[in-house]
Amino acid sequence: MPRNRAITLLSVGHACVDVYQGAVAALVPFFVAERAYSYAAVSGIVLAASVLSSVAQPVFGVLTDRWAMPWLLPLSTVLGGVGIALSGVSGSYGLTLAFVAVSGVGVAAYHPESARVARLASGGSHSAMGWFSLGGNLGFATAPLMVSAVVATGGLRLTPLLAVPALVGSVLCLPVLRELERRRSRGSSTAAVGRDDKASFVKLSLAVVCRSIVFIGLSTFVSLYAQQRMDGSGAAGTAALFVLYIGGAVGSVLGGSLAGRWDRVTVSRWSYLVSVASVAGVVFVPGPALYVFVALTSVALYVPFSLQVTLGQDYLPTRVGTASGITLGLTVSIGGLASPLIGRVADATSLRTALAPLILMPALSWLLFRSLPEPAVPQPREAAHRKDDDSDAALAPARPGDH
């Protein structure tokens, strides 16, 4: 199977999973309107999708470093869809939390193994991993449109229709898994050599946590905030959430392009600096200009996204699954833990007051990236042996343009 075809299938499958992460925030206005949930209550729903995912993703990452579990891809995709599909069926708040949590576990199980499979299918290409990440961003962007199209027409009782992408995604990954199994049976080696840089990985993880807090905070409340700013228009809220998500697709492609000219750390650092100004614009600039700053924020926050995934894998070359579980999962999910606090502040004061502290988060990410090195890119083990057992040469760092 050509590499481009394999990555395309995995990217579309990634979109079919991450649509359920975006669906949680997209369902928030409907829970408020149909069930009269408070800001704190809907924040708890976002928390339910995040907390189990936060705990589970590193566990799945460790497991995939020990054993290959490709069957997780179709199973976790279906699980993520079923949880969201059932979230609107019962009017019980407890059952809604439980179903959303089930979806979060499915998403948690998917990401570490899918990142490992994508790395194998791509041959370690950073640009290919960028396209894989793009699929997830498109899934996020599609979520508010999909949820609005389904739920706005018939209410929350129609959420079972939201299971369709899960069924599609579970089928699309199967040809890639069969191809990788054929490679394994032929004895093809894709293992990499390199040394773990744990200190840099910790700094990277903290930077991703800060990014996650601001992005999930905005994705949870930007729809309601736009409705307030645009005189209560539900369409205005859906449009703001769509802009926030679609900007991620633009940012991912732009990030891969910029990393071909400059190194990944430099590109990420400047992107976070731009994010400080753009988030401030979202919170404080009045009128329709809100959409401009939402778009700029989304692009700036997503330029480093796929770069951080490959950075994490290169900082921990001997534990790619663990690195993927943390950078794609744990650090992203942890952002949901801040949502209840934002909701409580919003209930006590206003949404603008609650969202203002988010301006500090990309500034902290920028500070952390200032001390990060561009890591050496691990080479396949078989390539290292061809260098006359010269281990120093085998671990030589790649030039920035080489990714």
Side-chain angles (χ1 to χ4, degrees):
M1 179 184 295
R3 184 180 74 181
N4 288 348
R5 182 186 173 198
I7 290 299
T8 299
L9 290 174
L10 290 172
S11 181
V12 176
H14 194 185
C16 291
V17 172
D18 276 9
V19 73
Y20 298 112
Q21 291 200 75
V24 177
L27 284 167
V28 162
F30 296 100
F31 285 131
V32 171
E34 196 167 319
R35 298 180 180 174
Y37 288 164
S38 66
Y39 289 142
V42 293
S43 297
I45 293 174
V46 176
L47 178 64
S50 301
V51 69
L52 281 179
S53 184
S54 298
V55 174
Q57 293 213 37
V59 174
F60 283 111
V62 172
L63 292 175
T64 57
D65 281 333
R66 288 177 174 266
W67 304 284
M69 294 187 289
W71 49 267
L72 270 180
L73 268 64
L75 178 63
S76 60
T77 301
V78 170
L79 196 62
V82 167
I84 292 299
L86 296 177
S87 65
V89 173
S90 171
S92 164
Y93 183 72
L95 283 177
T96 300
L97 290 177
F99 289 137
V100 170
V102 166
S103 179
V105 171
V107 171
Y110 175 84
H111 281 101
E113 181 66 6
S114 67
R116 185 190 70 83
V117 169
R119 186 178 178 95
L120 292 176
S122 69
S125 166
H126 298 315
S127 60
M129 288 297 293
W131 285 105
F132 170 71
S133 297
L134 173 64
N137 300 337
L138 291 176
F140 262 102
T142 305
L145 300 180
M146 181 185 73
V147 169
S148 181
V150 172
V151 181
T153 58
L156 290 170
R157 64 184 178 83
L158 293 184
T159 55
L161 295 176
L162 300 178
V164 172
L167 300 177
V168 173
S170 63
V171 172
L172 289 177
C173 67
L174 298 180
V176 181
L177 299 183
R178 285 196 294 267
E179 171 64 19
L180 292 179
E181 177 59 24
R182 282 194 291 267
R183 291 187 195 177
R184 189 194 66 80
S185 64
R186 291 195 302 264
S188 299
S189 174
T190 52
V193 293
R195 296 187 180 94
D196 291 342
D197 183 353
K198 296 178 182 178
S200 293
F201 184 77
V202 169
K203 292 179 183 177
L204 173 71
S205 300
L206 291 174
V208 180
V209 167
C210 293
R211 176 209 171 274
S212 172
I213 290 173
V214 65
F215 185 79
I216 294 184
L218 287 176
S219 67
T220 303
F221 294 106
V222 74
S223 181
L224 295 171
Y225 192 50
Q227 287 182 31
Q228 290 181 4
R229 300 279 289 275
M230 304 297 169
D231 300 321
S233 169
T238 299
L241 194 59
F242 175 73
V243 170
L244 181 70
Y245 288 166
I246 198 65
V250 177
S252 292
V253 174
L254 182 60
S257 176
L258 293 175
R261 184 170 182 179
W262 296 284
D263 66 79
R264 292 167 289 176
V265 171
T266 299
V267 171
S268 300
R269 188 166 62 238
W270 280 101
S271 297
Y272 281 124
L273 197 58
V274 172
S275 301
V276 176
S278 62
V279 174
V282 171
V283 176
F284 294 114
V285 174
L290 166 75
Y291 295 106
V292 176
F293 285 102
V294 169
L296 183 59
T297 295
S298 180
V299 171
L301 288 176
Y302 265 97
V303 162
F305 187 77
S306 65
L307 306 182
Q308 290 168 161
V309 175
T310 60
L311 279 170
Q313 292 175 334
D314 290 344
Y315 285 138
L316 295 183
T318 68
R319 286 178 283 183
V320 170
T322 300
S324 302
I326 293 175
T327 55
L328 270 175
L330 174 63
T331 50
V332 174
S333 300
I334 279 180
L337 302 179
S339 292
L341 177 60
I342 297 172
R344 289 183 182 277
V345 174
D347 284 333
T349 56
S350 68
L351 262 180
R352 174 177 286 184
T353 301
L355 294 175
L358 296 181
I359 299 169
L360 298 176
M361 294 297 103
L364 294 176
S365 295
W366 173 75
L367 286 173
L368 288 163
F369 261 90
R370 290 194 65 187
S371 61
L372 283 178
E374 180 69 18
V377 179
Q379 297 183 354
R381 192 175 302 277
E382 56 205 26
H385 289 323
R386 284 198 297 267
K387 292 192 177 284
D388 298 325
D389 297 324
D390 186 352
S391 58
D392 290 334
L395 293 173
R399 297 184 300 275
D402 290 343
H403 355 278

